[in-house]
Coordinates of all heavy atoms in Angstrom, one line a residue:
M1 N 13.1 -16.8 4.6 CA 11.8 -17.1 5.2 C 11.9 -18.4 6.1 O 11.4 -18.5 7.2 CB 10.7 -17.3 4.1 CG 9.4 -17.7 4.7 SD 8.6 -16.5 5.8 CE 8.1 -15.2 4.6
R2 N 12.7 -19.4 5.5 CA 12.9 -20.6 6.3 C 13.7 -20.3 7.7 O 13.3 -21.0 8.7 CB 13.6 -21.7 5.5 CG 12.7 -22.2 4.4 CD 13.4 -23.5 3.8 NE 12.6 -23.9 2.7 CZ 11.5 -24.7 2.7 NH1 11.0 -25.1 3.9 NH2 10.9 -25.1 1.6
T3 N 14.6 -19.4 7.6 CA 15.3 -19.0 8.8 C 14.4 -18.4 9.8 O 14.4 -18.8 11.0 CB 16.4 -18.0 8.4 OG1 17.2 -18.5 7.4 CG2 17.3 -17.6 9.6
W4 N 13.5 -17.5 9.4 CA 12.5 -16.9 10.4 C 11.6 -18.1 10.9 O 11.3 -18.1 12.1 CB 11.7 -15.9 9.6 CG 10.7 -15.2 10.5 CD1 11.0 -14.0 11.3 CD2 9.4 -15.5 10.8 NE1 9.9 -13.6 11.9 CE2 8.9 -14.6 11.7 CE3 8.6 -16.6 10.4 CZ2 7.6 -14.6 12.3 CZ3 7.3 -16.6 11.0 CH2 6.8 -15.6 11.8
L5 N 11.1 -19.0 10.0 CA 10.2 -20.0 10.4 C 10.9 -20.9 11.4 O 10.2 -21.4 12.4 CB 9.8 -20.8 9.2 CG 8.7 -20.2 8.3 CD1 8.6 -21.1 7.0 CD2 7.4 -20.0 9.1
A6 N 12.2 -21.1 11.2 CA 12.9 -22.0 12.2 C 12.8 -21.5 13.6 O 12.7 -22.3 14.6 CB 14.4 -22.1 11.7
S7 N 12.8 -20.2 13.8 CA 12.8 -19.8 15.2 C 11.4 -19.4 15.6 O 11.1 -19.4 16.8 CB 13.7 -18.4 15.3 OG 13.1 -17.4 14.4
H8 N 10.4 -19.3 14.7 CA 9.0 -19.0 15.2 C 8.1 -20.1 15.0 O 7.2 -20.3 15.8 CB 8.5 -17.7 14.4 CG 9.3 -16.5 14.8 ND1 10.5 -16.2 14.3 CD2 8.9 -15.5 15.5 CE1 10.9 -15.0 14.7 NE2 10.0 -14.5 15.6
L9 N 8.1 -20.8 13.9 CA 7.2 -21.9 13.5 C 8.0 -23.1 13.0 O 8.0 -23.4 11.9 CB 6.2 -21.5 12.5 CG 5.3 -20.4 12.9 CD1 4.5 -19.8 11.7 CD2 4.3 -20.9 13.9
P10 N 8.9 -23.8 14.0 CA 9.9 -24.7 13.5 C 9.3 -25.9 12.6 O 9.9 -26.3 11.7 CB 10.5 -25.3 14.7 CG 10.1 -24.3 15.8 CD 8.9 -23.5 15.4
S11 N 8.0 -26.2 13.0 CA 7.5 -27.4 12.2 C 7.2 -27.0 10.7 O 7.1 -28.0 9.9 CB 6.1 -27.8 12.9 OG 5.3 -26.8 12.9
L12 N 7.2 -25.8 10.4 CA 6.9 -25.4 9.0 C 8.3 -25.1 8.3 O 8.3 -25.0 7.0 CB 6.0 -24.1 8.9 CG 4.7 -24.3 9.4 CD1 3.9 -23.0 9.2 CD2 3.9 -25.4 8.6
A13 N 9.3 -25.0 9.1 CA 10.6 -24.6 8.4 C 11.2 -25.4 7.3 O 11.8 -25.0 6.4 CB 11.7 -24.4 9.5
E14 N 10.8 -26.7 7.4 CA 11.3 -27.7 6.4 C 10.2 -28.2 5.5 O 10.4 -29.0 4.7 CB 12.0 -28.8 7.0 CG 13.2 -28.5 8.0 CD 14.3 -27.8 7.3 OE1 14.5 -28.1 6.1 OE2 14.9 -26.8 7.9
G15 N 9.1 -27.5 5.6 CA 7.9 -27.9 4.7 C 8.2 -27.7 3.2 O 8.9 -26.9 2.9
A16 N 7.4 -28.4 2.5 CA 7.4 -28.1 1.0 C 6.7 -26.8 0.7 O 5.8 -26.4 1.3 CB 6.6 -29.3 0.4
W17 N 7.4 -26.1 -0.2 CA 6.8 -24.9 -0.8 C 5.7 -25.1 -1.6 O 5.8 -25.9 -2.7 CB 7.9 -24.0 -1.4 CG 7.5 -22.7 -1.9 CD1 7.4 -21.6 -1.2 CD2 7.1 -22.4 -3.3 NE1 6.9 -20.6 -2.1 CE2 6.7 -21.1 -3.4 CE3 7.1 -23.1 -4.5 CZ2 6.3 -20.4 -4.5 CZ3 6.6 -22.5 -5.7 CH2 6.3 -21.1 -5.7
V18 N 4.5 -24.6 -1.3 CA 3.4 -25.0 -2.1 C 3.0 -24.0 -3.2 O 2.6 -24.2 -4.3 CB 2.2 -25.1 -1.1 CG1 0.8 -25.4 -2.0 CG2 2.3 -26.2 -0.2
G19 N 3.3 -22.7 -2.8 CA 3.0 -21.6 -3.8 C 3.0 -20.3 -3.0 O 3.0 -20.3 -1.8
S20 N 2.9 -19.2 -3.8 CA 2.8 -17.9 -3.3 C 2.0 -17.0 -4.2 O 1.8 -17.3 -5.3 CB 4.2 -17.3 -2.9 OG 4.8 -17.1 -4.2
K21 N 1.5 -15.9 -3.6 CA 0.6 -15.0 -4.4 C 0.9 -13.6 -4.0 O 0.9 -13.3 -2.7 CB -0.8 -15.4 -4.1 CG -1.9 -15.0 -5.1 CD -3.3 -15.6 -4.7 CE -4.3 -14.9 -5.5 NZ -5.6 -15.3 -5.1
P22 N 1.0 -12.6 -4.9 CA 1.2 -11.3 -4.4 C 0.0 -10.8 -3.7 O -1.1 -11.1 -4.0 CB 1.4 -10.5 -5.7 CG 1.6 -11.5 -6.8 CD 1.0 -12.8 -6.3
C23 N 0.2 -10.0 -2.7 CA -0.9 -9.4 -1.9 C -0.9 -7.8 -2.2 O 0.1 -7.2 -2.0 CB -0.6 -9.6 -0.4 SG -1.6 -8.5 0.6
L24 N -2.0 -7.4 -2.8 CA -2.0 -6.0 -3.2 C -3.0 -5.3 -2.4 O -4.1 -5.8 -2.1 CB -2.5 -5.9 -4.7 CG -1.6 -6.7 -5.7 CD1 -2.2 -6.6 -7.1 CD2 -0.2 -6.1 -5.7
Y25 N -2.8 -4.1 -2.0 CA -3.7 -3.2 -1.5 C -3.4 -1.7 -1.8 O -2.4 -1.4 -2.2 CB -3.9 -3.3 0.1 CG -2.7 -3.3 0.9 CD1 -2.1 -2.1 1.2 CD2 -2.3 -4.4 1.5 CE1 -1.0 -2.0 2.1 CE2 -1.2 -4.4 2.3 CZ -0.5 -3.2 2.6 OH 0.5 -3.2 3.5
T26 N -4.5 -0.9 -1.8 CA -4.4 0.5 -2.2 C -3.5 1.3 -1.2 O -3.8 1.2 0.0 CB -5.7 1.1 -2.4 OG1 -6.5 0.2 -3.1 CG2 -5.6 2.5 -3.0
L27 N -2.6 2.1 -1.7 CA -1.8 3.0 -0.9 C -2.1 4.4 -1.5 O -1.8 4.6 -2.7 CB -0.3 2.7 -0.9 CG 0.1 1.5 -0.1 CD1 1.6 1.4 -0.4 CD2 -0.1 1.7 1.3
T28 N -2.5 5.3 -0.7 CA -2.5 6.7 -1.2 C -1.2 7.3 -1.0 O -0.3 6.8 -0.3 CB -3.6 7.5 -0.3 OG1 -3.1 7.5 1.1 CG2 -4.9 7.0 -0.4
P29 N -0.9 8.5 -1.7 CA 0.5 9.0 -1.7 C 0.9 9.3 -0.2 O 2.1 9.2 0.1 CB 0.3 10.3 -2.5 CG -0.7 9.9 -3.4 CD -1.7 9.1 -2.7
D30 N 0.0 9.8 0.6 CA 0.4 10.0 2.1 C -0.1 8.9 3.0 O 0.1 9.1 4.2 CB -0.2 11.4 2.5 CG -1.8 11.4 2.4 OD1 -2.4 10.4 2.1 OD2 -2.3 12.5 2.5
E31 N -0.6 7.8 2.5 CA -1.0 6.7 3.2 C -2.1 7.0 4.3 O -2.3 6.3 5.3 CB 0.2 6.0 3.9 CG 1.2 5.5 2.8 CD 2.3 4.6 3.2 OE1 2.2 4.1 4.4 OE2 3.3 4.5 2.5
H32 N -2.8 8.1 4.0 CA -4.1 8.3 4.8 C -5.3 8.0 4.0 O -5.2 7.9 2.7 CB -4.1 9.9 5.2 CG -3.2 10.2 6.2 ND1 -2.9 9.6 7.4 CD2 -2.2 11.4 6.2 CE1 -1.9 10.1 8.1 NE2 -1.5 11.2 7.4
F33 N -6.4 7.7 4.6 CA -7.6 7.3 3.9 C -8.1 8.4 3.0 O -7.7 9.6 3.1 CB -8.8 7.1 4.9 CG -8.5 6.2 6.0 CD1 -9.3 6.2 7.1 CD2 -7.5 5.1 5.9 CE1 -9.1 5.2 8.1 CE2 -7.3 4.2 6.9 CZ -8.1 4.3 8.1
V34 N -8.9 8.1 2.1 CA -9.8 9.0 1.3 C -11.2 8.8 1.9 O -11.8 7.7 1.7 CB -9.7 8.8 -0.2 CG1 -10.6 9.8 -0.9 CG2 -8.4 8.9 -0.7
L35 N -11.7 9.9 2.6 CA -12.9 9.7 3.3 C -13.7 11.0 3.3 O -13.1 12.0 3.8 CB -12.7 9.2 4.7 CG -13.9 9.1 5.6 CD1 -14.9 8.0 5.1 CD2 -13.5 8.7 7.1
G36 N -14.9 11.1 2.8 CA -15.7 12.3 2.9 C -16.6 12.4 1.7 O -16.6 11.5 0.9
P37 N -17.2 13.6 1.6 CA -18.0 13.9 0.5 C -17.2 14.0 -0.8 O -16.2 14.5 -0.8 CB -18.8 15.2 0.9 CG -18.2 15.6 2.1 CD -17.2 14.7 2.6
H38 N -17.8 13.6 -1.9 CA -17.2 13.8 -3.2 C -17.1 15.3 -3.5 O -18.1 16.0 -3.2 CB -18.0 13.0 -4.3 CG -17.3 13.0 -5.7 ND1 -17.2 14.2 -6.4 CD2 -16.7 12.1 -6.3 CE1 -16.6 13.8 -7.5 NE2 -16.2 12.6 -7.4
P39 N -16.0 15.9 -3.9 CA -16.0 17.3 -4.1 C -17.0 17.9 -5.1 O -17.4 19.0 -4.9 CB -14.5 17.5 -4.7 CG -13.8 16.3 -4.4 CD -14.8 15.2 -4.3
S40 N -17.4 17.1 -6.1 CA -18.3 17.6 -7.1 C -19.7 17.2 -7.0 O -20.7 17.6 -7.5 CB -17.8 17.2 -8.5 OG -16.5 17.6 -8.7
Y41 N -20.0 16.0 -6.2 CA -21.3 15.5 -6.0 C -21.7 15.3 -4.6 O -21.2 14.4 -4.0 CB -21.4 14.1 -6.8 CG -21.0 14.2 -8.2 CD1 -19.7 13.9 -8.7 CD2 -21.9 14.8 -9.2 CE1 -19.3 14.0 -10.1 CE2 -21.5 14.8 -10.5 CZ -20.2 14.5 -10.9 OH -19.9 14.7 -12.3
A42 N -22.5 16.2 -4.0 CA -22.8 16.2 -2.6 C -23.5 15.0 -2.2 O -23.4 14.6 -1.0 CB -23.6 17.4 -2.3
N43 N -24.1 14.3 -3.1 CA -24.9 13.1 -2.7 C -24.1 11.8 -2.8 O -24.6 10.7 -2.7 CB -26.2 12.9 -3.6 CG -25.8 12.8 -5.0 OD1 -24.8 13.3 -5.5 ND2 -26.7 12.1 -5.8
V44 N -22.7 12.0 -3.0 CA -21.8 10.8 -3.1 C -20.8 11.0 -2.1 O -20.2 12.0 -1.9 CB -21.2 10.8 -4.5 CG1 -20.2 9.6 -4.6 CG2 -22.2 10.5 -5.6
S45 N -20.5 9.8 -1.3 CA -19.5 9.8 -0.3 C -18.4 8.9 -0.7 O -18.8 7.8 -1.4 CB -20.0 9.4 1.1 OG -21.0 10.3 1.5
V46 N -17.2 9.1 -0.4 CA -16.1 8.3 -0.8 C -15.4 7.8 0.5 O -15.1 8.5 1.4 CB -15.1 9.1 -1.6 CG1 -13.9 8.3 -2.1 CG2 -15.8 9.8 -2.8
A47 N -15.1 6.5 0.4 CA -14.3 5.8 1.5 C -13.5 4.8 0.9 O -14.0 3.7 0.6 CB -15.3 5.2 2.5
C48 N -12.2 5.1 0.7 CA -11.3 4.1 0.1 C -9.9 4.5 0.4 O -9.7 5.3 1.2 CB -11.6 4.1 -1.5 SG -11.4 5.8 -2.2
G49 N -9.0 3.9 -0.3 CA -7.5 4.2 -0.1 C -7.1 4.0 1.3 O -6.3 4.8 1.8
F50 N -7.5 2.8 1.8 CA -7.3 2.6 3.3 C -5.8 2.3 3.7 O -5.4 2.2 4.8 CB -8.2 1.6 3.9 CG -9.6 2.1 3.9 CD1 -10.6 1.5 3.1 CD2 -10.0 3.3 4.6 CE1 -11.9 2.0 3.0 CE2 -11.3 3.8 4.5 CZ -12.2 3.1 3.8
S51 N -5.0 2.1 2.6 CA -3.6 2.0 2.8 C -3.1 1.0 3.8 O -2.2 1.2 4.5 CB -3.0 3.4 3.1 OG -3.3 4.4 2.2
G52 N -3.8 -0.2 3.8 CA -3.4 -1.3 4.6 C -3.8 -1.1 6.2 O -3.4 -2.0 6.9
H53 N -4.7 -0.1 6.5 CA -5.1 -0.1 7.9 C -6.6 0.3 7.9 O -7.0 0.9 8.9 CB -4.2 0.8 8.7 CG -3.9 2.2 8.1 ND1 -2.9 2.4 7.3 CD2 -4.5 3.4 8.3 CE1 -2.8 3.7 6.9 NE2 -3.8 4.3 7.6
G54 N -7.4 -0.1 7.0 CA -8.8 0.2 7.0 C -9.6 -0.8 7.9 O -10.7 -0.3 8.5
F55 N -9.3 -1.9 8.0 CA -10.1 -2.9 8.8 C -10.4 -2.6 10.2 O -11.5 -2.6 10.6 CB -9.4 -4.3 8.8 CG -10.2 -5.4 9.3 CD1 -11.3 -5.9 8.6 CD2 -10.0 -5.8 10.6 CE1 -12.1 -6.9 9.2 CE2 -10.8 -6.8 11.2 CZ -11.9 -7.3 10.5
K56 N -9.3 -2.1 10.9 CA -9.5 -1.8 12.4 C -10.3 -0.6 12.5 O -10.8 -0.3 13.6 CB -8.2 -1.7 13.1 CG -7.2 -0.7 12.6 CD -5.9 -0.8 13.4 CE -4.7 -0.1 12.6 NZ -4.3 -0.9 11.5
F57 N -10.6 0.2 11.5 CA -11.4 1.4 11.6 C -12.8 1.2 11.0 O -13.6 2.1 10.9 CB -10.7 2.6 10.9 CG -9.5 3.1 11.5 CD1 -8.2 2.6 11.0 CD2 -9.5 3.9 12.6 CE1 -7.1 3.0 11.6 CE2 -8.3 4.3 13.3 CZ -7.1 3.9 12.7
A58 N -13.1 -0.1 10.7 CA -14.4 -0.3 10.0 C -15.6 0.2 10.7 O -16.5 0.9 10.1 CB -14.6 -1.9 9.8
S59 N -15.6 0.2 12.1 CA -16.9 0.6 12.8 C -17.0 2.1 12.7 O -18.1 2.7 12.5 CB -16.9 0.1 14.2 OG -15.6 0.4 14.9
V60 N -15.9 2.8 12.8 CA -16.0 4.3 12.8 C -16.2 4.8 11.5 O -16.9 5.8 11.2 CB -14.8 5.0 13.5 CG1 -13.6 4.9 12.7 CG2 -15.1 6.4 13.8
L61 N -15.6 4.1 10.4 CA -15.9 4.5 9.0 C -17.4 4.3 8.7 O -18.0 5.1 8.0 CB -15.1 3.4 8.1 CG -13.6 3.7 8.1 CD1 -12.8 2.6 7.4 CD2 -13.2 5.1 7.6
G62 N -18.0 3.3 9.3 CA -19.4 3.1 9.1 C -20.3 4.2 9.7 O -21.2 4.7 9.1
E63 N -19.8 4.6 10.9 CA -20.5 5.7 11.5 C -20.5 7.0 10.6 O -21.4 7.7 10.4 CB -19.8 6.1 12.9 CG -20.2 5.2 14.0 CD -19.4 5.6 15.3 OE1 -19.2 6.8 15.6 OE2 -19.1 4.7 16.1
V64 N -19.2 7.3 10.2 CA -19.0 8.5 9.4 C -19.9 8.4 8.1 O -20.5 9.4 7.7 CB -17.5 8.7 9.0 CG1 -17.3 9.7 7.9 CG2 -16.7 9.1 10.3
L65 N -19.8 7.3 7.5 CA -20.6 7.1 6.2 C -22.0 7.2 6.5 O -22.8 7.8 5.6 CB -20.2 5.8 5.5 CG -18.8 5.7 4.9 CD1 -18.4 4.4 4.5 CD2 -18.7 6.7 3.8
A66 N -22.5 6.7 7.6 CA -24.0 6.8 7.9 C -24.4 8.2 8.1 O -25.4 8.7 7.6 CB -24.2 6.0 9.1
D67 N -23.5 8.9 8.8 CA -23.7 10.4 9.0 C -23.8 11.2 7.7 O -24.7 12.0 7.4 CB -22.7 11.0 9.8 CG -22.9 10.7 11.3 OD1 -24.0 10.3 11.8 OD2 -21.9 10.8 12.1
L68 N -22.8 10.9 6.8 CA -22.8 11.5 5.5 C -24.0 11.2 4.7 O -24.6 12.0 4.1 CB -21.5 11.2 4.8 CG -20.1 11.8 5.3 CD1 -19.0 11.2 4.6 CD2 -20.1 13.3 5.2
A69 N -24.4 10.0 4.7 CA -25.6 9.5 3.9 C -26.9 10.2 4.4 O -27.8 10.3 3.6 CB -25.7 8.0 3.9
T70 N -27.0 10.5 5.7 CA -28.2 11.0 6.3 C -28.2 12.5 6.5 O -29.1 13.0 7.1 CB -28.6 10.3 7.6 OG1 -27.4 10.4 8.5 CG2 -28.8 8.7 7.5
G71 N -27.1 13.1 6.1 CA -27.0 14.6 6.2 C -26.6 15.1 7.5 O -26.7 16.3 7.8
S72 N -26.1 14.2 8.4 CA -25.7 14.6 9.7 C -24.2 15.0 9.6 O -23.5 14.5 8.8 CB -25.9 13.5 10.8 OG -27.2 13.1 10.8
K73 N -23.8 16.0 10.5 CA -22.4 16.3 10.5 C -21.6 15.2 11.2 O -21.9 14.8 12.4 CB -22.3 17.6 11.3 CG -20.8 18.2 11.3 CD -20.9 19.6 12.0 CE -19.6 20.2 12.3 NZ -18.4 19.6 11.8
P74 N -20.7 14.6 10.6 CA -19.8 13.6 11.3 C -19.2 14.2 12.6 O -18.8 15.3 12.6 CB -18.8 13.2 10.2 CG -19.4 13.5 8.9 CD -20.2 14.7 9.2
A75 N -19.0 13.3 13.6 CA -18.4 13.7 14.8 C -16.9 14.0 14.7 O -16.3 14.4 15.7 CB -18.7 12.7 15.9
Y76 N -16.3 13.7 13.6 CA -14.8 13.8 13.4 C -14.6 14.8 12.3 O -15.3 14.9 11.3 CB -14.3 12.4 13.1 CG -14.7 11.4 14.1 CD1 -15.8 10.6 13.8 CD2 -14.0 11.2 15.3 CE1 -16.2 9.6 14.7 CE2 -14.4 10.3 16.2 CZ -15.5 9.4 15.9 OH -15.9 8.5 16.8
D77 N -13.4 15.4 12.4 CA -12.9 16.3 11.4 C -12.3 15.5 10.3 O -11.4 14.7 10.5 CB -11.8 17.3 11.9 CG -11.2 18.2 11.0 OD1 -11.7 18.2 9.8 OD2 -10.4 19.0 11.3
L78 N -12.9 15.6 9.1 CA -12.5 14.7 8.0 C -11.5 15.4 7.0 O -11.1 14.9 6.0 CB -13.7 14.3 7.1 CG -14.8 13.6 7.9 CD1 -15.9 13.2 7.0 CD2 -14.2 12.4 8.6
E79 N -11.0 16.6 7.5 CA -10.1 17.4 6.5 C -8.9 16.6 6.1 O -8.5 16.6 4.9 CB -9.7 18.7 7.2 CG -9.1 19.7 6.3 CD -10.0 20.0 5.1 OE1 -11.2 20.1 5.3 OE2 -9.4 20.2 4.0
L80 N -8.3 15.9 7.0 CA -7.1 15.1 6.7 C -7.3 14.1 5.6 O -6.4 13.7 4.9 CB -6.6 14.3 8.0 CG -5.4 13.3 7.9 CD1 -4.1 14.1 7.6 CD2 -5.3 12.6 9.2
F81 N -8.6 13.7 5.5 CA -8.8 12.6 4.5 C -9.5 13.0 3.2 O -9.9 12.2 2.4 CB -9.8 11.5 5.3 CG -9.3 11.1 6.6 CD1 -10.0 11.5 7.7 CD2 -8.1 10.4 6.7 CE1 -9.5 11.1 9.0 CE2 -7.6 10.0 7.9 CZ -8.3 10.3 9.1
S82 N -9.6 14.4 3.1 CA -10.3 14.9 1.9 C -9.7 14.4 0.6 O -8.5 14.5 0.4 CB -10.4 16.4 2.0 OG -10.8 17.0 0.8
L83 N -10.6 14.1 -0.3 CA -10.2 13.8 -1.7 C -9.5 15.0 -2.3 O -8.6 14.9 -3.2 CB -11.4 13.4 -2.5 CG -11.2 12.8 -3.9 CD1 -10.3 11.6 -3.9 CD2 -12.6 12.5 -4.5
R84 N -9.8 16.2 -1.9 CA -9.3 17.5 -2.4 C -7.8 17.6 -2.2 O -7.2 18.3 -3.0 CB -10.0 18.7 -1.9 CG -11.4 18.8 -2.4 CD -11.9 20.2 -2.0 NE -13.3 20.4 -2.5 CZ -13.7 20.7 -3.7 NH1 -12.7 20.9 -4.6 NH2 -14.9 20.9 -4.0
R85 N -7.2 16.9 -1.3 CA -5.8 17.1 -1.0 C -4.9 16.6 -2.2 O -3.8 17.0 -2.3 CB -5.4 16.3 0.2 CG -5.3 14.9 0.2 CD -5.1 14.4 1.7 NE -4.8 12.9 1.9 CZ -5.7 11.9 1.8 NH1 -7.0 12.1 1.8 NH2 -5.3 10.7 2.0
F86 N -5.6 15.8 -3.0 CA -4.7 15.3 -4.2 C -5.0 16.1 -5.5 O -4.4 15.7 -6.5 CB -5.1 13.8 -4.5 CG -4.8 12.9 -3.3 CD1 -5.8 12.1 -2.7 CD2 -3.6 12.9 -2.7 CE1 -5.6 11.4 -1.7 CE2 -3.3 12.1 -1.6 CZ -4.3 11.3 -1.1
E87 N -5.7 17.2 -5.4 CA -6.1 18.0 -6.5 C -4.7 18.5 -7.1 O -4.0 19.2 -6.4 CB -7.0 19.1 -6.2 CG -8.4 18.6 -6.2 CD -9.4 19.7 -5.8 OE1 -9.0 20.8 -5.4 OE2 -10.7 19.4 -6.0
G88 N -4.5 18.3 -8.4 CA -3.3 18.9 -9.0 C -2.1 17.9 -8.9 O -1.1 18.3 -9.5
A89 N -2.2 16.8 -8.1 CA -1.1 15.9 -7.9 C -1.0 15.0 -9.1 O -2.1 14.6 -9.6 CB -1.2 15.2 -6.6
A90 N 0.1 14.6 -9.5 CA 0.3 13.6 -10.6 C -0.1 12.3 -10.1 O 0.1 12.0 -8.8 CB 1.7 13.6 -11.1
P91 N -0.8 11.4 -10.9 CA -1.1 10.1 -10.4 C 0.2 9.4 -10.1 O 1.2 9.5 -10.7 CB -1.7 9.4 -11.7 CG -2.0 10.5 -12.6 CD -1.1 11.7 -12.3
L92 N 0.1 8.6 -8.9 CA 1.2 7.8 -8.5 C 1.0 6.3 -8.7 O -0.1 5.9 -8.5 CB 1.5 8.1 -7.0 CG 2.1 9.4 -6.6 CD1 2.3 9.5 -5.1 CD2 3.4 9.6 -7.3
G93 N 2.0 5.6 -8.9 CA 1.8 4.1 -9.0 C 2.9 3.6 -7.9 O 4.1 4.1 -8.0
R94 N 2.5 2.7 -7.1 CA 3.4 2.2 -6.1 C 3.0 0.8 -5.7 O 1.8 0.5 -5.5 CB 3.4 3.1 -4.9 CG 4.5 2.7 -3.8 CD 4.5 3.8 -2.7 NE 5.1 3.1 -1.6 CZ 5.0 3.7 -0.4 NH1 4.4 4.8 -0.2 NH2 5.5 3.1 0.6
A95 N 3.9 -0.2 -5.6 CA 3.6 -1.5 -5.4 C 3.2 -1.6 -3.8 O 3.8 -0.9 -3.0 CB 4.8 -2.4 -5.6
G96 N 2.3 -2.5 -3.6 CA 1.9 -2.7 -2.2 C 3.1 -3.4 -1.4 O 4.0 -3.9 -2.1
H97 N 3.0 -3.4 -0.1 CA 4.0 -4.1 0.6 C 3.4 -4.9 1.7 O 2.3 -5.0 1.8 CB 5.0 -3.0 1.2 CG 4.3 -2.0 2.1 ND1 4.5 -2.0 3.4 CD2 3.4 -1.0 1.8 CE1 3.8 -1.0 4.0 NE2 3.2 -0.4 3.0
Ligands
FAD101 C1 -2.8 -8.5 3.2 C2 -3.6 -7.3 3.8 C3 -3.3 -7.1 5.2 C4 -4.0 -6.1 5.8 N1 -3.9 -5.9 7.1 C5 -4.6 -5.0 7.8 C6 -4.4 -4.9 9.2 O1 -3.7 -5.6 9.8 N2 -5.2 -4.0 9.8 C7 -6.1 -3.2 9.2 O2 -6.7 -2.4 9.8 N3 -6.3 -3.3 7.8 C8 -5.6 -4.2 7.1 N4 -5.7 -4.3 5.7 C9 -6.6 -3.4 5.1 C10 -8.0 -3.7 5.1 O3 -8.2 -5.1 4.8 C11 -8.8 -2.8 4.1 O4 -8.4 -1.5 4.5 C12 -10.3 -3.0 4.2 O5 -10.6 -4.4 4.0 C13 -10.9 -2.2 3.1 O6 -12.3 -2.4 3.3 P1 -13.3 -2.0 2.1 O7 -14.6 -2.4 2.6 O8 -13.0 -0.6 1.6 O9 -12.8 -3.0 0.9 P2 -12.8 -4.5 0.8 O10 -12.6 -5.2 2.1 O11 -11.8 -4.8 -0.3 O12 -14.2 -4.9 0.2 C14 -14.7 -4.5 -1.1 C15 -15.8 -5.6 -1.4 O13 -16.4 -5.1 -2.6 C16 -16.4 -6.3 -3.5 N5 -16.5 -5.9 -4.8 C17 -15.6 -5.3 -5.6 N6 -16.1 -5.0 -6.8 C18 -17.4 -5.2 -6.8 C19 -18.4 -5.1 -7.7 N7 -18.2 -4.6 -8.9 N8 -19.6 -5.5 -7.4 C20 -19.9 -6.0 -6.2 N9 -18.9 -6.2 -5.2 C21 -17.7 -5.8 -5.5 C22 -15.3 -7.2 -3.2 O14 -15.5 -8.4 -3.5 C23 -15.1 -7.0 -1.7 O15 -15.9 -7.9 -0.9 C24 -5.0 -5.3 5.1 C25 -5.2 -5.6 3.7 C26 -4.5 -6.6 3.1 C27 -4.7 -6.9 1.6

């Protein structure tokens, strides 16, 4: 890290180490979102498992969730993100990166 800092942020390269903290976020097995209606409860929508790239999609996720909540058909095909794609799959555990 100090080697990288020396070339990018030289003033920090020799600084005192203050501490560190693991950064965790959810990763789905295929690293795609889980987004859409709950398979068993039509009045519940799911939006999670953003696999480290949810923030930049916040506005479109909001649009989709608003459509689902109001009974409108979302403007996007949500099949890729269906919770059903994991049916029958064994639970996975994987450290964030
Ligand atoms: C280190 C890091 C880097 C990332 N970099 C990027 C990036 O470069 N680009 C990108 O697009 N995405 C990035 N992401 C992913 C992005 O931050 C997430 O996908 C996004 O924030 C998920 O939004 P969310 O609303 O689902 O959950 P969150 O943002 O986690 O919001 C959940 C909220 O619910 C609150 N909450 C939890 N439990 C309760 C409860 N019981 N009652 C009330 N409130 C509760 C929490 O306090 C939190 O405010 C990164 C994530 C991390 C951790």
Side-chain angles (χ1 to χ4, degrees):
M1 181 60 79
R2 288 191 187 280
T3 305
W4 185 90
L5 284 171
S7 62
H8 292 78
L9 297 166
S11 60
L12 293 181
E14 301 303 324
W17 181 79
V18 176
S20 64
K21 198 173 169 186
C23 165
L24 301 177
Y25 51 74
T26 309
L27 287 175
T28 61
D30 59 8
E31 300 189 18
H32 291 308
F33 306 160
V34 176
L35 177 64
H38 189 286
S40 305
Y41 303 98
N43 61 335
V44 175
S45 299
V46 180
C48 58
F50 293 117
S51 305
H53 49 273
F55 183 78
K56 59 184 161 289
F57 292 100
S59 52
V60 72
L61 291 168
E63 279 179 34
V64 168
L65 288 171
D67 284 339
L68 291 172
T70 56
S72 304
K73 186 175 171 2
Y76 307 95
D77 181 1
L78 302 181
E79 194 56 36
L80 175 68
F81 310 113
S82 170
L83 187 56
R84 287 193 181 281
R85 73 190 191 274
F86 301 124
E87 279 177 350
L92 285 179
R94 186 172 155 196
H97 57 110

